[in-house]
Amino acid sequence: MAMNTLEDLLAHELADLYSAETQVADALPKLANAARSQELRTAFEEHLEETLGQIRRLEEIAHELGLTMDEGTCRAMEGLLTEADEVMNARIGEDVVDASLVAKAQRVEHYEIAAYGTAASFARQLRHGHVAELLEQSLDEEKNADAMLTRIAESGANERATARGTSEGTTFEADGGLK
Ligand code: ZN
Ligand code: FE
Ligand code: FE
Ligand code: FE
């Protein structure tokens, strides 16, 4: 696509986010399924609901700005979710499963925080006030999701991971392994 103006750049960022969010929506059920604690499972399930709302917001924005959002795949999210897949396919001890899932999921949230922050700032600069508001709503949800993951990690997942250091579970299907 032509990339000459901040308007073009915003369109690019939005299409990239749309690709990223649709990938996240596909991944979250797998993460929820892999989670060992009910707390983490619920957090992933609730963030899936938020993610579907974020996709709808991006569709509303596309409609408002007359964009198609069909620019291709967000390679960064593809990479982050590949890492999450690697963890889910690896032989990981029962006690460190949730800590490993949180570690991967927080990378996803931080990427989204960066992307929504940038896009909202472009939209403000371009005087697309309503678009900026919608992006900031999603930005807030991503920040909350990140904080929730930190809370879950620090209130249990990391502690369990250190409590019984010798367990050698084969928690996930043993068809992979960390490369
Ligand atoms: Zn515009
Ligand atoms: Fe999201
Ligand atoms: Fe991207
Ligand atoms: Fe998110």
Side-chain angles (χ1 to χ4, degrees), residues 28 43-54 56 141:
L28 278 167
F44 285 142
E45 285 168 353
E46 288 178 359
H47 199 47
L48 173 60
E49 292 310 308
E50 282 179 330
T51 297
L52 298 176
Q54 292 166 358
R56 285 193 293 275
E141 290 174 354

Side-chain angles (χ1 to χ4, degrees), residues 4 11 16 20-21 25 38 48 54 56-57 63-64 81 84 86-87 91 121-122 128 135-136 139 168 171 173-174 177:
N4 298 314
D16 189 68
E21 289 289 15
Q38 187 57 49
L48 173 60
Q54 292 166 358
R56 285 193 293 275
R57 269 184 210 124
H63 182 75
E64 192 167 321
L81 294 175
E86 283 171 3
V87 161
R91 298 165 64 99
S121 159
F122 289 171
H128 293 308
L135 293 169
E136 283 158 3
L139 176 61
E168 273 179 50
T171 303
E173 298 142 50

Side-chain angles (χ1 to χ4, degrees), residues 24 26-48 88 97-98 101 172:
V24 171
D26 286 342
L28 278 167
K30 291 188 279 177
L31 288 163
N33 215 29
R36 284 296 176 274
S37 73
Q38 187 57 49
E39 193 182 25
L40 183 57
R41 181 177 301 246
T42 301
F44 285 142
E45 285 168 353
E46 288 178 359
H47 199 47
L48 173 60
M88 287 189 280
V97 170
D98 282 2
L101 296 175
F172 294 126

Side-chain angles (χ1 to χ4, degrees), residues 15-175:
D16 189 68
L17 260 168
Y18 190 68
S19 165
E21 289 289 15
T22 53
Q23 292 179 60
V24 171
D26 286 342
L28 278 167
K30 291 188 279 177
L31 288 163
N33 215 29
R36 284 296 176 274
S37 73
Q38 187 57 49
E39 193 182 25
L40 183 57
R41 181 177 301 246
T42 301
F44 285 142
E45 285 168 353
E46 288 178 359
H47 199 47
L48 173 60
E49 292 310 308
E50 282 179 330
T51 297
L52 298 176
Q54 292 166 358
I55 289 171
R56 285 193 293 275
R57 269 184 210 124
L58 288 168
E59 286 167 349
E60 183 181 344
I61 290 169
H63 182 75
E64 192 167 321
L65 299 180
L67 304 172
T68 52
M69 305 286 230
D70 58 357
E71 216 185 298
T73 305
C74 172
R75 297 294 173 196
M77 188 57 77
E78 198 174 45
L80 293 172
L81 294 175
T82 298
E83 287 195 20
D85 270 336
E86 283 171 3
V87 161
M88 287 189 280
N89 291 326
R91 298 165 64 99
I92 293 188
E94 182 70 27
D95 298 331
V96 293
V97 170
D98 282 2
S100 75
L101 296 175
V102 170
K104 296 307 176 188
Q106 282 196 292
R107 285 168 165 77
V108 169
E109 298 314 316
H110 284 225
Y111 177 86
E112 292 180 307
I113 288 167
Y116 277 114
T118 299
S121 159
F122 289 171
R124 286 255 169 247
Q125 179 70 32
L126 291 164
R127 304 285 182 264
H128 293 308
H130 181 242
V131 169
E133 266 171 44
L134 292 170
L135 293 169
E136 283 158 3
Q137 284 171 27
S138 295
L139 176 61
D140 284 343
E141 290 174 354
E142 308 298 16
K143 287 179 178 171
N144 289 338
D146 179 52
M148 167 75 80
L149 289 169
T150 297
R151 203 185 53 68
I152 289 171
E154 294 185 346
S155 75
N158 290 352
E159 194 178 342
R160 278 193 303 280
T162 48
R164 285 176 285 160
T166 56
S167 83
E168 273 179 50
T170 49
T171 303
F172 294 126
E173 298 142 50
D175 61 348

